[in-house]
Amino acid sequence: MTGDHTAGETGEQIRAIFDRARPRGAYHDILQTLAEGVTEVAGFAVAAISVLRRSGDFEVVAVAGDAGARDQLMGNFTPRAEIEAELAQADDWGALRFVPHSRLPEGITPGWVPDLEPVEDDPDAWHPLDLLMAPLRDEHGDVVGLLSVDLPASGRRPDAAQRACLTDYAERSGRALAQALQQRELSEGVRLAAAARQIVRRASAQLDVEGILAHCATEVVTGFQALGMWLQVFDEQGLGPSTLHSRDGTIVDLPRRLKRFAESAARAAWEQHQVAVSAHGRRNPGLLPDDEHREVLDFLGSIGVRSMVLVPLGAGSLCLGSLVLTRGPDAPPWSDIELATAQEMGHDLGRALSNARLLEREKRLAENFRDLAAYRSQLVDTLAHELKTPVTSIVGHLELLVDELLSGEHAETSPAQVSLRAMERGTRRLLGVLDDLLSLARTSDPTTIHVAQPVDLVSVVDRAVDAVGYSARRKSVRIVVETGSSPVMVTGDPDALERCCVNLLGNAVKYSPRDSAVSIVLHERPREIELSISDEGLGISEEDQERLFTEFFRSTNPTALQQPGTGLGLVIVERTVARHGGRIEVDSQLGKGSTFRVILPRP
Ligand code: ADP
């Protein structure tokens, strides 16, 4: 206090300052107003307010009075233990603590020393190394910060009036600081929770790692009021994608060395369950050796970054990457709530990353299977093609021989003639197998492109009935067709659908007794068309029905096995129907007969 003020005037002044600081101004404005207030009323040229952080450090958040002091002190962190060591040496002036320069603990130098000539022979003269502080307490008496003053206008250690004024000021400041902190936590909590929710939601919707990177950059940077962010992902090979996104959209490429440093720091941070704040003037958080830590800070300094937070990303015991948030020199320091939210987000983003990675792995596996299936189909296709030409030629020549040698008066049954007929039947079956293999390869190759066109199922059925007509007549099996005369249209491949129809009708005839009936019916429903083929034949046991659509499956029924077949026909039908967006169903009773129903979507 200067001599021009009475105690009453000073009280008024203090109240006015607190009124100015109270309105819902930004947190830093409030603290700045408080710091400046001390310099106005208490007769000290410099005042600083520090806040006690959850980490146990006191951080200088407001400095008033001297630009040089401000530059040197703002943002400085001092461990609580160091402050306590100073306070232990202090004279107890009620709410105030005074440490004369002579008692300053070993190794401690104040953050700022005024440019003042010490006066040696006057015990009441202010010494440049004297410390005057007041712990700031909330309404419960807990320390929330620290008020320090320096450079008295009088050049002397404070008198009783000045001490009373400072005491009053410190008491009010403590409560104001606690309130400002609470308000800030509350509003920050709400803001950050909303931002983090949005970020994680966006990231979780991404199926690949690159997508997560690209999508969360803007939200993270704005949500955390950061200058930029650097997201790095570790993959099986080591370092995965890594980019530094800045607020204005520029992307900075980082030196490889730095990425390595960040990786080992992130792994250590994940193990220790912590987020780490690094900045010039702050202690190395201990995740990296001092020289590497300095190198990272120097690089970031060269692109305008003053402080950063390293957030490890992970799931379970695995550290999957890191997120670095940066701030420039004029930005506020990272608040406890921001750090807690960032840590939480590291877990959520880690989970999103781990899911994306699993999905990527599954996609790769599916692609491998697809390649394998395509290779197998192509192999079968090539082999069947190569075999088909000579077999067709053999069948042709055998038919010619049978026609010439076994017709008319030569139709006897000498052993050579029987062999010739057997050879013809055998090669015809071989041709049938090759045709089935070719159809199977074509329906199963995932890389085949199928062009769909309008198909009339009535004419498909007619052509299929024609195709099996000969075998049906030989067994006196009647084919009853119920299709109506108007076209029934679907979209698809006419040849493939005809092959399905021939297969099902052929089976119905093949596995039916002589003199029975096979019916083929087309039903039109609002959304679907059903083609059903019923017979009065052998029927299929429930056990066999389960495996009907597996490649090369043939019945366990000995009577059915007497009929030639490959066990591929139904597989081809099922795959073709599935490719047309339809399904196949079977109803069968052993000894009674079977009904196969093909259901296709209406166009
Ligand atoms: P294939 O008839 O060439 O053996 P499929 O795939 O067409 O091969 O049929 C597989 C098996 O299903 C047949 O071996 C047969 O035992 C049984 N099957 C198919 N259709 C019928 C049917 N309509 N009646 C009785 N059994 C049938």
Side-chain angles (χ1 to χ4, degrees), residues 436 468 471-472 475 477 502-514 518 535 537-538 554 559-560 562-569:
D436 275 359
V468 298
S471 350
K475 287 179 84 172
V477 170
V502 171
N503 271 342
L504 292 173
L505 212 50
N507 279 352
V509 171
K510 191 159 72 169
Y511 299 109
S512 280
R514 293 189 67 79
V518 165
D535 64 57
L538 296 178
R554 299 222 59 211
T559 325
Q562 282 170 9
Q563 300 296 328
T566 55
L568 289 175

Side-chain angles (χ1 to χ4, degrees), residues 509-580:
V509 171
K510 191 159 72 169
Y511 299 109
S512 280
R514 293 189 67 79
D515 298 318
S516 59
V518 165
S519 68
I520 176 158
V521 184
L522 266 182
H523 277 302
E524 285 192 81
R525 300 213 203 97
R527 288 160 176 267
E528 300 169 330
I529 290 162
E530 182 187 290
L531 169 76
S532 74
I533 294 166
S534 310
D535 64 57
E536 303 161 348
L538 296 178
I540 307 162
S541 70
E542 279 190 17
E543 203 188 336
D544 282 359
Q545 281 180 37
E546 308 239 313
R547 300 164 58 206
L548 271 187
F549 302 101
T550 351
E551 285 173 26
F552 302 107
F553 171 75
R554 299 222 59 211
S555 174
T556 50
N557 179 344
T559 325
L561 281 174
Q562 282 170 9
Q563 300 296 328
T566 55
L568 289 175
L570 287 179
V571 181
I572 296 168
V573 174
E574 199 221 12
R575 291 193 188 158
T576 309
V577 171
R579 222 181 59 218
H580 282 77

Side-chain angles (χ1 to χ4, degrees), residues 259-310:
K259 293 183 191 173
R260 284 265 164 237
F261 293 166
E263 184 196 1
S264 59
R267 291 192 192 283
W270 183 252
E271 254 175 40
Q272 297 165 23
H273 305 287
Q274 64 153 308
V275 292
V277 180
S278 285
H280 277 291
R282 267 195 80 152
R283 273 173 309 145
N284 174 2
L287 300 171
L288 287 176
D290 280 344
D291 52 337
E292 292 179 5
H293 181 241
R294 206 166 317 113
E295 200 175 324
V296 175
L297 284 180
D298 286 347
F299 173 80
L300 291 175
S302 74
I303 55 169
V305 170
R306 158 80 196 248
S307 73
M308 64 171 187
V309 183
L310 175 101

Side-chain angles (χ1 to χ4, degrees), residues 242-258:
S242 156
T243 28
L244 196 153
H245 296 259
S246 61
R247 197 172 206 157
D248 59 7
T250 18
I251 290 175
V252 183
D253 199 27
L254 293 158
R256 194 157 177 78
R257 247 171 96 72
L258 242 58

